[in-house]
Amino acid sequence: MSDSASSDLRYPIGRPVLPEAPLDHGRRTAYIAHLATLPDQVRAAVAGLTPAQLDTPYRPGGWTVRQLVHHLPDSHLNAYTRCRLALTEDNPTIKPYDEAAWAELPDVEATPPAVSLALLEALHIRWVRLLRNLTEAQWQRTFHHPDSGCNFTLDQALALYSWHSRHHLAHITELRRREQW
């Protein structure tokens, strides 16, 4: 997984790199810790922002902070479901979704960010408890993503969503730093 900083505003922590081999216990623990702490980190990152600041894109042509806050539980609900499917079915084909279209739905503007922060918190409590209790064999269970044509292990999904968490958090924190909010 890339942890290097990037000058590309789209990828402030670099692009994701999926592991090709099973993760060791230490790496899994670190990635799960990223998921466990994300709700509090996002809550702190948006604390005190005005409605105008919440409606500021993190980069030209990018999502607003408000859209990012609502996107995280949307995305992570899908990821949590994909993990559960992989644990209960043999290499299920997951349902992709159009995340850009979801970010434009009317509830994104109409719902206070606190609602999505509460959803993210509850979801991550469940997801982290699930992940902390998987066996070595369960980490190698897979799901199939029809858009990429690839099968992903739960180890790879964990690495991806740890990156995804840090990626969008950095969008918010870097914007705050640049704008000196």
Side-chain angles (χ1 to χ4, degrees):
M1 188 65 49
S2 174
D3 289 319
S4 62
S6 170
S7 61
D8 183 343
L9 296 178
R10 292 174 301 169
Y11 298 99
I13 64 167
R15 292 181 181 263
V17 178
L18 297 181
E20 294 181 18
L23 296 173
D24 62 33
H25 178 75
R27 181 54 64 189
R28 281 188 196 126
T29 299
Y31 287 157
I32 292 169
H34 294 153
L35 296 179
T37 60
L38 180 68
D40 287 340
Q41 290 177 321
V42 175
R43 187 174 279 110
V46 300
L49 293 182
T50 67
Q53 290 168 326
L54 288 168
D55 292 328
T56 301
Y58 72 91
R59 67 172 174 84
W63 285 345
T64 66
V65 173
R66 182 183 312 275
Q67 286 173 309
L68 288 168
V69 170
H70 292 307
H71 164 72
L72 284 165
D74 288 345
S75 175
H76 291 192
L77 272 167
N78 276 282
Y80 174 68
T81 300
R82 291 169 182 179
C83 288
R84 293 181 70 84
L85 288 168
L87 290 165
T88 58
E89 300 177 20
D90 290 330
N91 196 39
T93 298
I94 56 92
K95 169 92 173 76
Y97 73 103
D98 184 343
E99 63 185 31
W102 282 36
E104 296 297 329
L105 290 172
D107 66 313
V108 171
E109 188 174 330
T111 304
V115 173
S116 281
L117 290 170
L119 177 58
L120 187 68
E121 181 177 19
L123 170 64
H124 277 234
I125 289 169
R126 286 281 309 271
W127 196 12
V128 164
R129 285 185 180 162
L130 173 68
L131 296 173
R132 284 183 175 152
N133 287 289
L134 295 183
T135 66
E136 189 63 36
Q138 287 173 318
W139 282 109
Q140 302 318 307
R141 305 250 334 151
T142 60
F143 61 81
H144 178 76
H145 198 298
D147 286 352
S148 68
C150 296
N151 294 333
F152 293 89
T153 66
L154 292 188
D155 267 341
Q156 291 171 323
L158 174 63
L160 179 62
Y161 285 95
S162 168
W163 171 86
H164 186 259
S165 298
R166 294 176 292 118
H167 166 72
H168 285 310
L169 179 63
H171 284 147
I172 299 166
T173 58
E174 287 299 308
L175 175 63
R176 284 191 80 141
R177 184 188 57 74
R178 287 193 315 274
E179 297 296 322
Q180 298 182 2
W181 290 340

